[in-house]
Amino acid sequence: MSGPRKGTAGHRGAHLGDFAVQPRMLVICGWALLVGGAGAVAALALSRLIGLVTNAVFCRDPRGDPTAAGQDRPDAVPT
């Protein structure tokens, strides 16, 4: 039997991989931040676009200001 025996200090970490941080990880983190930021901007844009279309169709309000359901508006079309 070669190598350290089970239960000794040398055996404890023998099955673990190398988790050293290399410069490539900084590049990957940078890309992750860019992709996450772009996703957040896209989500905000889509949310505002949904609000604009919803208000234009149901409330005939071209401003796109969000309107709560049940809020009385004099220019709202009854459904």
Side-chain angles (χ1 to χ4, degrees):
M1 184 172 196
S2 64
R5 291 183 12 199
K6 190 172 186 176
T8 62
H11 180 270
R12 195 167 69 182
H15 68 283
L16 298 178
D18 181 19
F19 293 103
V21 176
Q22 297 175 357
R24 179 181 163 107
M25 185 175 177
L26 292 175
V27 174
I28 293 172
C29 286
W31 278 108
L33 288 172
L34 287 174
V35 169
V41 169
L44 181 63
L46 286 173
S47 177
R48 291 194 177 172
L49 181 63
I50 289 169
L52 177 70
V53 170
T54 300
N55 282 337
V57 170
F58 291 109
C59 300
R60 304 196 196 289
D61 184 11
R63 293 173 297 175
D65 296 332
T67 304
Q71 181 179 353
D72 291 334
R73 295 201 37 176
D75 58 342
V77 176
T79 57

